[in-house]
Amino acid sequence: MTAAIAPLTRRQTLILAIIGAVLWLAFALLIRVLGPMGIFEGSNRVWLYLAVIPGTLPMIPVIRRLAGLAPNQHTTGMAVGTASATMLDGLALAWIPWLYADTVELVAAAGAVILWGGGVGLALGALLDWRQRQS
């Protein structure tokens, strides 16, 4: 018998939306600093995208604890946090692109890697829920 995905409480939803916003801003500012240093140039971009995967892994247990997620709420929890982050990313790319960088190329690269990170978070949440259902 597999465990159904449990719905989130209002408190969990709010916490997850705030976590998504905070992580988005932190990574946007980090990219603002690292972009001009060449993080998006040549093979550095490949390494950056690969580093996002293990870099996201430690965030999952932190998010789980802060939001009080049950073992079968990872996918939903990551979806709420990612929704918050991607909405802010879309707004920032349209209205305050200077948050990411000073050039169009770096702004595009920054937005892309943040979207990649959101996808990685969603995939990891789904993987954790899948593993929970298998046990």
Side-chain angles (χ1 to χ4, degrees):
M1 176 105 186
T2 60
I5 295 175
L8 299 172
T9 66
R10 276 188 241 163
R11 182 178 185 278
Q12 287 175 312
T13 302
L14 180 61
I15 289 169
L16 290 160
I18 291 169
I19 290 170
V22 168
L23 289 175
W24 163 78
L25 182 59
F27 287 110
L29 294 174
L30 179 63
I31 288 169
R32 168 87 175 154
V33 171
L34 296 177
M37 294 179 184
I39 195 131
F40 298 117
E41 295 173 12
S43 64
N44 290 345
R45 184 184 308 245
V46 174
W47 291 112
L48 171 63
Y49 273 65
L50 290 173
V52 167
I53 299 167
T56 303
L57 279 171
M59 303 311 300
I60 304 292
V62 171
I63 292 167
R64 180 181 4 180
R65 274 188 293 259
L66 290 173
L69 296 178
N72 60 346
Q73 290 182 311
H74 293 104
T75 302
T76 309
M78 293 305 291
V80 170
T82 301
S84 172
T86 55
M87 288 169 58
L88 290 170
D89 197 42
L91 292 172
L93 286 168
W95 281 286
I96 53 169
W98 50 262
L99 175 70
Y100 298 101
D102 295 327
T103 69
V104 172
E105 292 81 16
L106 288 178
V107 169
V113 77
I114 287 178
L115 290 172
W116 166 255
V120 167
L122 286 169
L124 290 173
L127 177 64
L128 288 171
D129 280 348
W130 177 79
R131 286 181 54 197
Q132 174 69 25
R133 287 190 304 273
Q134 299 307 308
S135 55

